[in-house]
Amino acid sequence: MKAGKTIGKKIKSMKDKFSEELVQLAENDLLMREKLLAINKLSDGYNPEMEKVHKENAQRLKEIIKEIGFPTISKVGEKASDAAWLIVQHSIAEPEFMKSSYKLMLENSADVNLKHLAFLFDRIQFFQGKPQKFGTQLNSDGTIYPVINKNEINGLRKKNHLPELTQEKIDSILPIESIEFIENQNAEYIIWRKKVGWKK
């Protein structure tokens, strides 16, 4: 009986350790973002300070995943699992890590926030220059980036705990054929994506 209690305590302390650390990593990310926004340093490309935080956070999350798998709700609690998703969502210079994390989240879809699964799917599509599914990613002008199927969008959003879009918003989404035009508005963005591996 004592051995069982000891193992239980070890698991709990490990869970608490990772939970606290993941939340702290996500908070560091958001604090840096706020700091850079305040001094207007987020509008021109990918800020090096922000990129450094994203890369360090991704590296630490990779180590945690090696140890416990993807930090799902049952493993680390909802707040820390959400923090793990945020770290992945922001690791935009690491396409393979984002894709492998998405697969892990999909395999554990009953134990993660479905809203975040939708955001990550769309984010990966967006950076690959492919249409998204749930309409979570926006163009630089604030309009919704092209989607696979406008008619299915609200049904998919509902299933993934996202608020439905108004018909006006859905109607304003540009067709898939517009993706090349949208991307060609920013040559530096295309160069960066080729450099980090989103585009060939």
Side-chain angles (χ1 to χ4, degrees), residues 21 66-67 71 85 97 107 130 156:
E21 186 179 2
K66 267 188 185 174
E67 202 165 331
W85 160 79
F97 176 56
E107 285 165 15
K130 295 176 181 178
L156 290 167

Side-chain angles (χ1 to χ4, degrees), residues 41-98:
K41 282 200 171 178
L42 276 186
S43 51
D44 276 341
Y46 195 10
N47 182 279
E49 285 181 85
M50 194 77 259
E51 184 176 12
K52 184 173 181 283
V53 171
H54 289 164
K55 284 189 169 177
E56 286 171 356
N57 281 359
Q59 183 52 43
R60 182 58 190 133
L61 180 53
K62 285 176 196 174
E63 292 162 5
I64 292 170
I65 289 170
K66 267 188 185 174
E67 202 165 331
I68 65 166
F70 191 84
T72 58
I73 294 166
S74 64
K75 284 179 189 169
V76 296
E78 191 168 0
K79 193 174 179 184
S81 185
D82 289 353
W85 160 79
L86 183 82
I87 292 164
V88 175
Q89 186 82 351
H90 288 179
S91 60
I92 58 173
E94 304 197 39
E96 294 315 311
F97 176 56
M98 286 184 81

Side-chain angles (χ1 to χ4, degrees), residues 106-124:
L106 194 59
E107 285 165 15
N108 294 279
S109 58
D111 201 13
V112 296
N113 189 325
L114 288 178
K115 179 169 67 174
H116 294 154
L117 199 55
F119 267 94
L120 187 54
F121 175 87
D122 280 359
R123 184 86 147 175
I124 290 166

